[in-house]
Amino acid sequence: MAEMFHDDDADLSIIQSKTVAVIGYGSQGHAHALNLRDSGVNVVVGLREGSSSVARASEAGLSVKSVEEAVREGDVVTILAPDQVQAKVYEESIEPNLKPGAALLFAHGFNIHYGYIKPSADHDVIMVAPKGPGHVVRREFVAGRGVPVLVCVEQDASGQAWPLVLSYAKAIGGLRAGAIKTSFREETETDLFGEQNVLCGGLSKLIETGFEVLTEAGYQPEMAYFEVCHEMKMIVDLINEGGISKQRWSCSDTAEYGDYVSGPRVIDPHVKENMKAVLADIQDGTFAKKFMEDQAAGAPEFKKLRAQGEAHPIEATGRQIRALFAWSEDKDKDYHEGSVAR
């Protein structure tokens, strides 16, 4: 069983005695900065000149400075920029300005695990990774609750990295729910595996393929969308509430029986072997290298694949169906406005 930590295991005064420089103010950045601030921590947000986040962070009452200035003030430097730009930001703006002995904190281990960032031996290298998007981390904190977090120490230069990481986790609300002890390697490899095989890659392809099979067989696309996509949220919510067993218990006997006899026909042993191959690419760095090289070249493959995905027929059908639901209209509108600006 994993080792777990809760509020009583951490001393909040440790992080309260330090200045935390939060680099980035996106999904996780805004949640970390605001939760830390509300826990009595001195926070400075580091953003590049011209960042659209400067106004948002300033309006929230946070001190906003350049990345270089923020790093020079930070006893703890929390790096929350996107994976593909972290190494460049670290090399150009963070490393030259780090205080002696300053701790480096990450919410994902990608750049440390694969060696794109290599801190010197005199810095603690730690992780607090909330298992939820930033807006949920912030919302739950404000509500007096918390989102579970993963915590680990890659490099304990000070000899006090564990008390520090637990204090930080407590300050953002993570220990209210609980922290699981892990490692940079385990967090990175399992995170990428889950995204690629199940949560993103596996799920999206399963939905698209189901849609294709039904529409190619002559069924109306609207019917196909309802059956392979729309109802997915209901199923996932049930699993989230009580596991796969509750989901099966909640469905009809027909659906449950079909689950048992037909599920293994779709997700057959070949799928497991394919998943193992994806895991191997994650473990040996093949995926990381491919992703980073594509990003460095301007992301031509990434952009091509994104465009192909957005052009899939299920997307047009989905927009028509979601327009029928008043509670979904604003969310869909926000997505399309954001996608145009990407």
Side-chain angles (χ1 to χ4, degrees):
M1 293 291 291
E3 185 175 356
M4 294 195 67
F5 305 96
H6 300 280
D7 271 342
D8 290 345
D9 298 311
D11 180 357
L12 188 60
S13 69
I14 294 173
I15 196 67
Q16 287 174 331
S17 70
K18 302 182 183 297
T19 295
V20 177
V22 176
I23 309 305
Y25 199 72
S27 176
Q28 288 294 330
H30 91 280
H32 284 240
L34 293 172
N35 291 5
L36 288 165
R37 190 268 314 274
D38 291 352
S39 291
V41 180
N42 184 38
V43 176
V44 56
V45 175
L47 294 170
R48 60 177 173 78
E49 184 178 352
S51 170
S52 60
S53 296
V54 171
R56 290 193 299 119
S58 298
E59 288 167 3
L62 293 163
S63 173
V64 182
K65 299 186 179 181
S66 69
V67 173
E68 293 81 1
E69 291 174 314
V71 170
R72 284 194 286 269
E73 294 185 19
D75 302 303
V76 177
V77 177
T78 301
I79 303 176
L80 297 175
D83 288 335
Q84 63 267 36
V85 303
Q86 281 188 15
K88 179 178 174 64
V89 173
Y90 182 80
E91 179 183 0
E92 295 179 356
S93 302
I94 296 177
E95 187 174 32
N97 296 289
L98 278 172
K99 283 184 178 181
L104 292 165
L105 188 143
F106 297 81
H108 181 38
F110 185 98
N111 278 275
I112 292 294
H113 177 56
Y114 292 118
Y116 292 102
I117 294 177
K118 297 178 179 179
S120 60
D122 58 331
H123 298 286
D124 289 346
V125 180
I126 58 181
M127 184 193 301
V128 177
K131 297 310 293 177
H135 71 275
V136 177
V137 174
R138 178 59 180 164
R139 183 189 71 201
E140 292 301 291
F141 179 90
V142 171
R145 300 185 294 264
V147 170
V149 295
L150 305 180
V151 293
C152 51
V153 172
E154 179 78 3
Q155 186 167 283
D156 189 358
S158 68
Q160 297 297 314
W162 271 112
L164 175 61
V165 79
L166 292 178
S167 184
Y168 186 105
K170 182 173 184 173
I172 66 167
L175 298 194
R176 296 173 182 174
I180 297 175
K181 183 178 181 180
T182 183
S183 66
F184 270 64
R185 172 184 173 274
E186 184 176 54
E187 184 277 334
T188 301
E189 293 179 359
T190 57
D191 184 76
L192 293 176
F193 177 87
E195 291 169 350
Q196 294 174 35
N197 286 281
V198 181
L199 305 176
C200 300
L203 181 59
S204 63
K205 292 309 296 181
L206 189 65
I207 292 171
E208 288 176 352
T209 302
F211 182 87
E212 291 167 7
V213 169
L214 286 177
T215 55
E216 289 168 9
Y219 297 102
Q220 298 178 84
E222 294 82 2
M223 294 296 295
Y225 182 85
F226 272 116
E227 297 306 327
V228 304
C229 185
H230 175 75
E231 294 186 21
M232 184 67 70
K233 183 181 185 305
M234 176 191 71
I235 298 298
V236 172
D237 284 347
L238 289 168
I239 294 172
N240 188 267
E241 289 173 13
I244 295 174
S245 293
K246 179 174 182 178
Q247 174 260 315
R248 287 169 169 160
W249 171 80
S250 301
C251 292
S252 68
D253 289 348
T254 312
E256 184 177 359
Y257 182 70
D259 176 341
Y260 297 137
V261 300
S262 299
R265 296 177 64 189
V266 177
I267 308 301
D268 64 12
H270 291 94
V271 175
K272 190 171 184 179
E273 292 306 310
N274 291 339
M275 286 186 172
K276 289 180 179 179
V278 172
L279 179 59
D281 282 351
I282 291 168
Q283 290 172 325
D284 67 14
T286 298
F287 169 78
K289 182 174 184 291
K290 185 177 181 181
F291 172 69
M292 294 296 276
E293 287 180 348
D294 183 61
Q295 290 290 315
E301 183 182 28
F302 179 80
K303 293 174 182 177
K304 177 182 176 181
L305 293 172
R306 172 186 279 169
Q308 289 174 349
E310 292 178 341
H312 191 281
I314 197 173
E315 297 302 327
T317 300
R319 284 191 290 272
Q320 294 172 1
I321 294 296
R322 291 190 297 273
L324 304 175
F325 307 136
W327 61 87
S328 295
E329 184 177 350
D330 289 341
K331 293 180 182 178
D332 213 24
K333 182 174 180 288
D334 289 346
Y335 159 70
H336 289 294
E337 288 178 347
S339 67
V340 171
R342 285 189 306 196

